[in-house]
Amino acid sequence: MAAIHAPCIIQGIEFRVSACIGLTVYPKDNRSVDTLLRHADQAMYVAKQKGPMSYHIFDVIHDSKVKSGFKIINRVKEALRLGELSLFYQPKICLNDCSVVGFEALLRWHDPERGLVSPLDFLPQIENDKIICDIGEWAIEQAVAQISEWCATGRNWSISVNIAARHFQEKSFIERLALVLKNAGHVNPGLLDIEIVESVALDNIEYVNKCIVGCQGLGVTFSIDDFGTGYSSLNYLKQLPTQTLKIDQSFVRDMLVDAEDFSITSAIVGLAKAFNKVVVAEGVETQEHFFALRKMGCDLAQGYLMAKPMPAADVVRWEAEYVQSAQYRALRQAHGVAEMALA
Ligand code: C2E
Ligand code: MG
Ligand code: MG
C-alpha cells in the first residue's frame, strides 16, 4: 500500500493513489481458487467501507457462523411451515391453595431427524431474524385457541407466551395482536399473558413502555421473565408496568443451600409486593422449596415438582390426577395446618 501510495509527479503536479486490500489466507480458508478469490473480493469491499488505505482479512470463523445461522434459520422456517413446532404447557400453581391458575406455553421442535428439540438449542441462533416474529405470532394464535378450548369446558386457565425482544419491538406488534384476538372471537384477552425479559427495553424504554400499555389496553397482561438475571433496574421495574414478575430459576434452585440466593429470592418477592405485582417462582423442584416460597409470601410456583411441560392433549388428564394426588393433599393440608395455627 505504501508503494502504491508513493507520490508520482506528472507534468510537475504531484498525484497520489490510495489502495484498499482484501485478502484471505490459505489453508486456513481451505477452499477452491475461485472461492478464495471471492472471499478476498468480499474482504476488499469491507476494507473500502473502512476508508482509503485500509485492508481487511476475510473472517473464516465468522463466515461459517453466518452460513450455519442461515441454515438453521431456513430449517426452522421449514419446521414452522411443516407443522413440526408445537407448544408444551407447564402449570403455574397458587402457593396458598395449590389451585392451577394457568400455564406457560413453551416451544418444542419435533425434528424428524433429531427428535424433540429444546428451544435453547435453536432460539439463540434465530432470535435476531424475522422468523422469531413469525414463531411468536404463531405461538400467540395457538395459545389463544387453547384458551378458548379450555374455557369452553369451564377451565378459565391463563396462558403465558414468551415473546422475543425483536418481535415485541416490531412496529405492528399491537395491531397484529389486536387482529389475532379479534379473529379468535369471544376469547377473554385477560387470560393471555405475554412474557418479556428486561433487556427488551434496553434500546428504547419509552417505546416499550408505550407498547406494554397499548397491549394492556387490549386486555392482555404482562410478566417480566427471568427477573434478577439482567439489569434488574428499579427504573425498569417502574417503567415496565407489567402485572407479574418471574424469579429466575437459577436463584430458586439453590435458595435452600445458598444464603445469597435465598436473600435474592426473598428480596425479589419483597420488591414485587412493594410494586404491587404478582410474583412467580420458576424451577420449583421440591416440597421444601414450595413451603419456603410460601413462607416468603411468593404467590405462584412453576416447576417439575408439579409438572414438566407437557403437550396440550395431556393437560386435562394431568390436572385430574394432580388434584387426586397425595402430593396435592400434602401441600394443601400443610396450608390448612398453617391457617389453623394462625387462627
Ligand atoms: P423460560 O421462559 O424462563 O422458561 C422456563 C424454562 O425452565 C423452560 O425451559 C422450562 O421447561 C424450564 N423449567 C421449568 N420448571 C423447571 C424445573 O423445575 N427445573 C428445571 N431444571 N427447569 C424447569 P424450556 O422449555 O427449555 O425453555 C427455555 C427457554 O426458551 C425459556 O425460558 C424461554 O426463554 C425460551 N422459550 C421457550 N419457548 C419460547 C417461545 O415460544 N418463544 C420464545 N421467544 N422463547 C421461548
Ligand atoms: Mg418464560
Ligand atoms: Mg424464565
Side-chain angles (χ1 to χ4, degrees), residues 154-221:
R155 298 174 176 90
N156 291 335
W157 291 327
S158 66
I159 296 181
S160 303
V161 179
N162 294 280
I163 293 298
R166 160 87 160 78
H167 184 195
F168 193 60
Q169 285 157 355
E170 282 277 293
K171 291 276 173 284
S172 57
F173 187 85
I174 303 181
E175 213 178 293
R176 308 278 310 173
L177 178 65
L179 193 66
V180 173
L181 290 169
K182 186 168 162 247
N183 290 344
H186 296 292
V187 169
N188 173 3
L191 293 178
L192 178 67
D193 182 68
I194 294 180
E195 289 193 12
I196 48 171
V197 288
E198 285 170 279
S199 57
V200 72
L202 268 188
D203 294 334
N204 192 345
I205 195 160
E206 274 150 39
Y207 173 74
V208 169
N209 170 290
K210 268 200 203 123
C211 252
I212 293 176
V213 173
C215 293
Q216 285 170 335
L218 298 172
V220 304
T221 63

Side-chain angles (χ1 to χ4, degrees), residues 104 162 195 225-226 246-249 282:
E104 176 172 11
N162 294 280
E195 289 193 12
D225 203 359
D226 303 343
K246 296 189 82 176
I247 310 172
D248 190 65
Q249 53 176 287
E282 295 186 330

Side-chain angles (χ1 to χ4, degrees), residues 49-67:
Q49 277 169 3
K50 289 185 193 165
M53 302 289 287
S54 308
Y55 71 94
H56 185 79
I57 305 173
F58 182 78
D59 188 336
V60 180
I61 294 169
H62 179 252
D63 183 64
S64 67
K65 269 194 194 150
V66 170
K67 285 206 179 102

Side-chain angles (χ1 to χ4, degrees), residues 132-147:
I132 199 74
C133 308
D134 300 338
I135 290 178
E137 199 163 310
W138 165 86
I140 292 175
E141 281 167 6
Q142 296 282 309
V144 166
Q146 192 58 64
I147 290 171

